Amino acid sequence: MSGVDLDTRLRTVVGATAARLERARGMRTVRDLLDFLPRTYLDPARPTAFAQLPHGEDVVVVGTVRASTTRQMRQRRGRILVVDVEDEVGGTIQLTFFKPYGHQDRLVPGVRVVCSGQVGSYGRSLQLTHPDYAVLGEASGATSGGWLLGGLVPVYPATPKVSPIVHGDTLDLVLHALDELPDPVPPEVRRTHGLPDLREAYQLVHRPQREADHRRGRWRLKFQEAFVVQAALARARLAQDATTAVPRPPVEDGLVDALLGRLPFDLTQGQQRVLGELRSDLAGTVPMHRLLQGEVGSGKTVLALLAMLAVVDAGGQAALLAPTEVLAVQHHRAISALLGPLAEAGMLGGDDRATRVALLLGSQSAVERRENLLAAASGSAGIVVGTHALIQEHVQLAELGLVVVDEQHRFGVEQRDALRAKADHPPHVLVMTATPIPRTVAMTVYGDMETSTLRELPRGRRPITTHVVPGGRPDWVRRTWERVAEEVRTGGQVYVVCPRIGEADDPDLPQGAVVGPGGPTVPAGDDEDGDGAGPTVTGEESSEPTLHGVHQVARALGQLPATAGLRLASLHGRLPVDEKDAVMRRFAAGEVDVLVATTVIEVGVDVPDATTMVVLDADRFGISQLHQLRGRVGRGGRPGLCLLVTQQAGGPEDGPAVERLHQVAATTDGFELARLDLETRREGDVLGASQSGGRSGLRFLRLARDEELIVAAHEAAWETVRADPDLERHPVLRRELDQLDAERAAFLERG
């Protein structure tokens, strides 16, 4: 067969097996099959310890036939072949065939065999029933499985209805049929980094002779993935730099200077440095694309506001996109409070330089919405704050000069682009995140942006102490709620965070219990906030233990002896926006002692007197999310306390979930926690179109482990694109990037 490349349909190469591979694994093309890599390799020259085989799992083993017996079956007609295969350390596994004909002549004592099947047992013996096998040293071509007869044996994740040997035979057909493959990594880059070409890389991974072979092949595939991603980012950056933005130079004695004069604090050195970077970017004709990352409470919002005012000073508008209505309302209120008369244009007492701050939410009344839409469209509102409602087609802005995206990880690239499209000229873009980003993620996800980092906290911020509270210890749990009451008595306020809302008619918790055995009886699967901010569950099943809901916990705290007299309120994503706003206003005003909430309070909420947070079922949350949550306390000069309560005992035997909690408790360094979090999570889609089903996700790279490779690919890709921006000398790479762009465009169109 000729003309086989990566995009060739599998069925044209391998026939009927293709249908089973597509049903089981979604494999449609040659690329899909070749990119499905072995999970490990067996060396036929090394012993396989049968005693350690996992019961019920598909395995590939190597051993020597010691005995082969055919006998009449007792319960049914016919004969059975039982073959004893021995490993190098004396362990035995039985191969059983209910249709023995043809097998007994090959499986004779003394031959070495490679077998694949599901491990079972018969009596006290391990057993493989009707396994696939190949006899080592047998004349090649006599049977399937010829690929097993030399080098290492690749072991793949099990595929239903496709045995390991059939899978291997299918790969053999494809590898033999492949033509020379067009290679997106240019020859000069391959020579510099000692990389094999693409066809050889697949051969090394799937048919290695030795350990070094498959390592070299995998390195090549990872390098290509990193190289293509970096080339896409480099091309995007060059395209951005080729467009022209309206410059927004500093205006003397404008809104920026006025706000700096009325701030109740001085900017830190780090804030002053970043402000200088922002003002310099905004004054240029190249659109700013800057990522501002910093610890929770490091002062990013003030810098974003100063950047927005710089644009307003220069005759433009700024739009701030927030992920939730609670956060949008909080931003609107905080910005309005900071600006004071500077936000009261046309109002009695308003400053002569004043502008207006509009708020756009999906749940606003028609009158409110019409008024804010008009302010945005007319330009009377220099700053427009909103949620996804900002992106809707009928929303118009008079002179959009800056887009600020808060908590970028909550939005896809397509949402950011939809807001940018509302500008007549390419606007400047500032992306903020309070989740510190490891270097490899910054290079791979935000490589088309300049990065500013705030590490120091504003003066007056006190450290947050974090403790893990094992719910299996009733005395610890009781002390938790006593501590909550003590904080309130000394003037503090408390967040109690639950992983789910639940229903108002959920059964009450057992008297005196909010965690531990006999807790909630509602299924754990109900964790939908209605605001897109549910818990991040990493690595555990969500069926047990059941999770605490806001309604249950609020009622229980009203009955516990320690907390019965406290002023309680609830907050979650299903509440109407005016009700959510009213609850937050009461809490901020000190009229509520304990706020029982979902993760809707995760970002942006700023209550200076909140000193304590209790996170229930904390083992159901990810590292970065816990770090974000605890950043809500200790913001007003008093030390913060965060108590992570788990229904488990809290010891090492509880596994990785509780270990994560101890990692969070051990440090407040968000950058260190971000690195740890990356090691426990999938990298996901780095180009913003994970739902498209295309090739924009990471398949081979592991950002936590492949830093050296990513740095090398970054340098090579950016050098390649800078030297040949249109990639005229690299048509294969250009086609690869165009394909990525086409898949992403199709996804945006569907969205």
Side-chain angles (χ1 to χ4, degrees):
M1 179 179 293
S2 62
V4 173
D5 62 20
L6 294 180
D7 295 320
T8 300
R9 299 290 288 188
L10 260 182
R11 66 172 177 267
T12 66
V13 186
V14 304
T17 307
R20 299 201 296 274
L21 288 169
E22 182 169 355
R23 281 195 298 271
R25 290 285 182 182
M27 297 179 188
R28 297 180 179 87
T29 66
V30 166
R31 184 196 302 268
D32 295 334
L33 179 65
L34 292 176
D35 284 352
F36 188 68
L37 303 188
R39 60 179 174 84
T40 189
Y41 298 86
L42 293 176
D43 186 348
R46 295 182 181 176
T48 301
F50 295 158
Q52 299 173 9
L53 294 176
H55 192 87
E57 291 193 16
D58 289 284
V59 297
V60 178
V61 297
V62 180
T64 303
V65 174
R66 291 304 179 205
S68 179
T69 306
T70 303
R71 59 174 172 79
Q72 188 70 34
M73 286 186 282
R74 296 191 186 94
Q75 304 296 327
R76 51 193 269 194
R77 295 170 60 184
R79 299 178 68 79
I80 184 172
L81 172 65
V82 179
V83 180
D84 292 333
V85 176
E86 189 177 71
D87 62 24
E88 300 294 330
V89 291
T92 301
I93 193 167
Q94 288 186 342
L95 315 183
T96 58
F97 299 89
F98 295 102
K99 295 180 180 179
Y101 309 107
H103 300 301
Q104 66 265 43
D105 297 332
R106 299 175 59 210
L107 296 171
V108 295
V111 301
R112 295 271 289 165
V113 292
V114 178
C115 313
S116 71
Q118 188 177 88
V119 179
S121 60
Y122 182 74
R124 296 184 178 180
S125 300
L126 290 175
Q127 186 179 67
L128 298 179
T129 302
H130 268 287
D132 285 328
Y133 68 91
V135 177
L136 299 178
E138 196 172 51
S140 62
T143 67
S144 70
W147 52 276
L148 292 165
L149 305 181
L152 302 182
V153 176
V155 181
Y156 298 85
T159 298
K161 308 294 185 182
V162 180
S163 74
I165 289 183
V166 170
H167 187 142
D169 291 343
T170 304
L171 269 165
D172 248 15
L173 286 171
V174 167
L175 289 169
H176 286 124
L178 275 183
D179 289 337
E180 287 301 315
L181 295 177
D183 200 326
V185 181
E188 59 271 22
V189 174
R190 298 203 302 269
R191 284 194 297 271
T192 300
H193 295 276
L195 301 172
D197 64 36
L198 184 53
R199 191 183 189 286
E200 184 185 355
Y202 282 125
Q203 187 74 32
L204 290 169
V205 167
H206 292 290
R207 296 292 178 261
Q209 295 298 304
R210 58 191 68 83
E211 285 280 333
D213 289 346
H214 70 78
R215 295 184 188 280
R216 185 166 178 250
R218 283 176 188 267
W219 179 270
R220 154 63 213 236
L221 295 177
K222 287 185 176 188
F223 189 97
Q224 175 177 318
E225 186 168 63
F227 181 86
V228 170
V229 168
Q230 293 297 329
L233 292 169
R235 196 163 71 156
R237 178 62 178 275
L238 287 179
Q240 292 161 5
D241 290 352
T243 60
T244 303
V246 177
R248 309 291 178 178
V251 173
E252 190 173 348
D253 197 29
L255 288 166
V256 172
D257 291 341
L259 177 60
L260 288 171
R262 62 176 274 115
L263 285 176
F265 52 82
D266 294 327
L267 298 184
T268 65
Q269 286 186 344
Q271 287 175 313
Q272 292 174 11
R273 171 181 49 78
V274 173
L275 179 59
E277 293 169 348
L278 294 173
R279 298 188 78 168
S280 175
D281 286 352
L282 293 171
T285 56
V286 174
M288 174 177 76
H289 286 83
R290 187 168 288 275
L291 169 69
L292 174 56
Q293 64 170 337
E295 290 282 11
V296 177
S298 59
K300 298 180 297 297
T301 304
V302 169
L303 290 173
L305 175 55
L306 288 166
M308 290 190 285
L309 293 178
V311 170
V312 176
D313 278 340
Q317 280 176 298
L320 192 160
L321 183 61
T324 67
E325 290 195 343
V326 166
L327 183 52
V329 170
Q330 181 84 10
H331 274 313
H332 180 263
R333 184 185 305 136
I335 288 171
S336 300
L338 280 170
L339 291 177
L342 298 174
E344 298 173 351
M347 299 172 63
L348 189 63
D351 191 284
D352 292 340
R353 299 160 291 188
T355 186
R356 290 177 60 190
V357 184
L359 177 65
L360 282 173
L361 305 172
S363 59
Q364 283 175 317
S365 69
V367 173
E368 277 184 301
R369 187 165 178 75
R370 193 178 307 115
E371 179 183 337
N372 284 288
L373 283 171
L374 181 60
S378 67
S380 63
I383 297 175
V384 183
V385 180
T387 57
H388 298 75
L390 267 177
I391 302 171
Q392 294 175 0
E393 190 173 337
H394 62 275
V395 176
Q396 297 180 334
L397 293 112
E399 178 67 23
L400 181 59
L402 172 65
V403 173
V404 179
V405 183
D406 195 13
E407 294 307 320
Q408 162 68 15
H409 65 281
R410 299 292 187 84
F411 297 101
V413 175
E414 69 278 1
Q415 293 163 315
R416 191 173 79 195
D417 288 349
L419 184 52
R420 289 170 58 194
K422 295 184 179 295
D424 293 330
H425 302 280
H428 301 283
V429 176
L430 175 65
V431 168
M432 297 192 297
T433 178
T435 304
I437 299 171
R439 182 186 183 206
T440 51
V441 179
M443 292 179 71
T444 307
V445 182
Y446 300 102
D448 58 335
M449 309 188 83
E450 299 291 339
T451 301
S452 297
T453 301
L454 290 172
R455 285 187 174 271
E456 57 185 319
L457 296 180
R459 283 179 286 276
R461 287 296 303 269
R462 301 288 294 276
I464 301 170
T465 303
T466 305
H467 298 288
V468 179
V469 178
R473 297 282 301 275
D475 51 333
W476 287 46
V477 175
R478 183 170 59 253
R479 178 63 189 135
T480 295
W481 303 117
E482 290 171 353
R483 183 63 190 272
V484 164
E486 291 166 7
E487 286 292 323
V488 172
R489 282 198 295 271
T490 58
Q493 291 171 279
V494 180
Y495 294 104
V496 176
V497 179
C498 304
R500 55 186 293 275
I501 303 170
E503 303 296 337
D505 58 356
D506 281 346
D508 285 340
L509 301 177
Q511 189 166 7
V514 288
V515 290
T521 57
V522 180
D526 174 24
D527 58 4
E528 183 59 53
D529 262 350
D531 55 18
T536 301
V537 181
T538 49
E540 283 72 49
E541 295 295 328
S542 60
S543 57
E544 289 191 15
T546 49
L547 307 180
H548 290 81
V550 169
H551 297 293
Q552 292 173 309
V553 171
R555 291 197 301 268
L557 293 182
Q559 299 167 2
L560 282 180
T563 55
L566 304 182
R567 297 171 296 175
L568 303 168
S570 299
L571 182 70
H572 54 76
R574 290 187 201 148
L575 292 174
V577 66
D578 54 347
E579 196 171 330
K580 284 189 279 193
D581 189 35
V583 171
M584 281 308 305
R585 284 181 181 275
R586 288 172 53 217
F587 189 57
E591 298 169 9
V592 171
D593 299 321
V594 178
L595 183 63
V596 183
T598 60
T599 54
V600 72
I601 56 95
E602 177 185 349
V603 289
V605 177
D606 189 1
V607 178
D609 287 334
T611 57
T612 302
M613 174 174 288
V614 179
V615 183
L616 298 179
D617 304 309
D619 49 309
R620 308 305 292 179
F621 297 86
I623 289 174
S624 291
Q625 192 171 33
L626 290 171
H627 184 58
Q628 283 264 20
L629 283 166
R630 70 175 170 186
R632 298 303 106 210
V633 300
R635 302 172 73 91
R638 295 177 56 180
L641 173 66
C642 180
L643 301 174
L644 306 176
V645 185
T646 168
Q647 293 191 50
Q648 302 182 65
E653 67 279 0
D654 289 326
V658 172
E659 174 59 26
R660 284 202 309 274
L661 302 187
H662 288 289
Q663 290 173 337
V664 173
T667 181
T668 56
D669 184 339
F671 288 88
E672 171 64 14
L673 290 173
R675 184 188 65 78
L676 292 170
D677 197 29
L678 179 62
E679 292 176 354
T680 64
R681 292 188 296 126
R682 292 176 60 89
E683 277 74 4
D685 179 6
V686 300
L687 297 183
S690 58
Q691 293 137 303
S692 71
R695 287 185 277 119
S696 53
L698 293 179
R699 304 192 69 171
F700 308 126
L701 278 174
R702 291 296 173 262
L703 299 181
R705 299 194 296 268
D706 294 327
E707 180 169 356
E708 179 185 345
L709 182 150
I710 291 168
V711 171
H714 170 90
E715 293 172 352
W718 285 66
E719 182 180 334
T720 299
V721 175
R722 287 193 190 102
D724 182 13
D726 294 326
L727 299 177
E728 292 180 355
R729 298 191 301 276
H730 305 94
V732 180
L733 176 59
R734 186 175 66 238
R735 284 198 301 272
E736 190 83 6
L737 298 184
D738 289 345
Q739 177 66 22
L740 284 178
D741 290 342
E743 289 178 352
R744 181 167 169 266
F747 168 65
L748 300 187
E749 188 176 332
R750 289 197 301 273

